[in-house]
Amino acid sequence: EDQVTQSPEALRLQEGESSSLNCSYTVSGLRGLFWYRQDPGKGPEFLFTLYSAGEEKEKERLKATLTKKESFLHITAPKPEDSATYLCAGSLIQGAQKLVFGQGTRLTINP
Amino acid sequence: NAGVTQTPKFQVLKTGQSMTLQCAQDMNHEYMSWYRQDPGMGLRLIHYSVGAGITDQGEVPNGYNVSRSTTEDFPLRLLSAAPSQTSVYFCASSLTSGGYLEQFFGPGTRLTVL
């Protein structure tokens, strides 16, 4: 069964304290691994797409990496404005594109 | 570009009522989809469309209908609302249906069924 699992469910950090969020997946025929950010009451906002093992992408304090079984979202020296829920999704093709989402990691950065 | 827009933002229904959630995009995207988001469940695909006139079922299609008569619009219809359909609904679109490109999400509709 195609599945995406994120850990931890929630993470609380102090401002400046770096950490990583994990996304493990069992998606056959993975086309892409997507990371989204979701603020309360808003729709998910696209961050990164990773296509192959070993690939890395960066944006400000965020860096996403991909292996054959999991992806990590590294957050370096976070600020309170980085507080959000981070969603991971695997894209597979069953006739057409389908996204399989993890449950998300709720990140809180305390000043 | 307005991106993906959804109306209404909030809606309360009684059991058995019907309604249509509207979704529109102005990016000329080929692929559109509907998800529901429930606590602890993540986002789940309801229905999707790879172009005007073409729709198909996702993971949780029961109780919902869709149609796509234009590239821009992809409405979701609840035929007879049930409390189990209380959720936040998101519409998303992508340039193509090939699975390699990101989907852009709307702001969501929060639906409560009493």
Side-chain angles (χ1 to χ4, degrees):
Chain A
E1 181 187 354
D2 297 308
Q3 204 166 11
V4 174
T5 304
Q6 291 187 248
S7 61
E9 286 187 17
L11 181 63
R12 189 178 293 270
L13 301 171
Q14 290 298 121
E15 184 173 0
E17 180 184 2
S18 301
S19 187
S20 297
L21 312 183
N22 177 262
C23 169
S24 63
Y25 63 91
T26 54
V27 174
S28 57
L30 185 78
R31 292 297 178 98
L33 192 291
F34 298 87
W35 282 97
Y36 286 86
R37 170 190 170 128
Q38 186 174 25
D39 293 302
K42 302 280 184 67
E45 177 186 344
F46 170 74
L47 292 173
F48 303 109
T49 310
L50 301 167
Y51 295 109
S52 57
E55 189 175 2
E56 299 183 352
K57 288 191 176 175
E58 288 189 63
K59 180 180 179 180
E60 296 180 356
R61 295 174 293 281
L62 301 176
K63 182 169 80 172
T65 62
L66 182 66
T67 72
K68 288 185 178 179
K69 293 184 178 180
E70 57 192 349
S71 178
F72 293 94
L73 185 65
H74 307 278
I75 302 175
T76 302
K79 299 181 178 182
E81 54 262 41
D82 295 321
S83 297
T85 295
Y86 290 87
L87 305 173
C88 167
S91 176
L92 66 152
I93 294 293
Q94 288 178 346
Q97 177 190 152
K98 295 180 182 178
L99 287 181
V100 179
F101 278 87
Q103 295 178 330
T105 294
R106 188 172 65 254
L107 177 66
T108 304
I109 308 298
N110 294 319
Chain B
N1 284 354
V4 180
T5 58
Q6 292 183 238
T7 56
K9 192 167 179 60
F10 300 96
Q11 183 71 49
V12 179
L13 292 177
K14 294 181 179 178
T15 297
Q17 287 185 315
S18 62
M19 80 158 294
T20 300
L21 280 62
Q22 300 292 344
C23 173
Q25 52 89 11
D26 61 357
M27 298 174 283
N28 201 30
H29 281 180
E30 172 184 283
Y31 181 88
M32 296 185 74
S33 55
W34 277 101
Y35 294 85
R36 59 178 289 173
Q37 186 174 39
D38 302 293
M41 298 290 290
L43 283 145
R44 292 180 292 168
L45 182 64
I46 304 172
H47 285 286
Y48 64 93
S49 168
V50 299
I54 307 170
T55 64
D56 206 345
Q57 297 181 351
E59 181 185 355
V60 287
N62 292 341
Y64 307 96
N65 269 6
V66 292
S67 61
R68 192 161 176 207
S69 56
T70 68
T71 300
E72 295 78 19
D73 300 298
F74 190 43
L76 179 72
R77 281 182 288 276
L78 280 70
L79 307 174
S80 177
S84 61
Q85 294 178 304
T86 293
S87 187
V88 182
Y89 291 85
F90 291 101
C91 178
S93 73
S94 180
L95 184 61
T96 69
S97 61
Y100 294 98
L101 298 178
E102 67 272 20
Q103 293 190 31
F104 295 88
F105 284 80
T109 294
R110 184 174 295 274
L111 175 68
T112 301
V113 183
L114 303 175

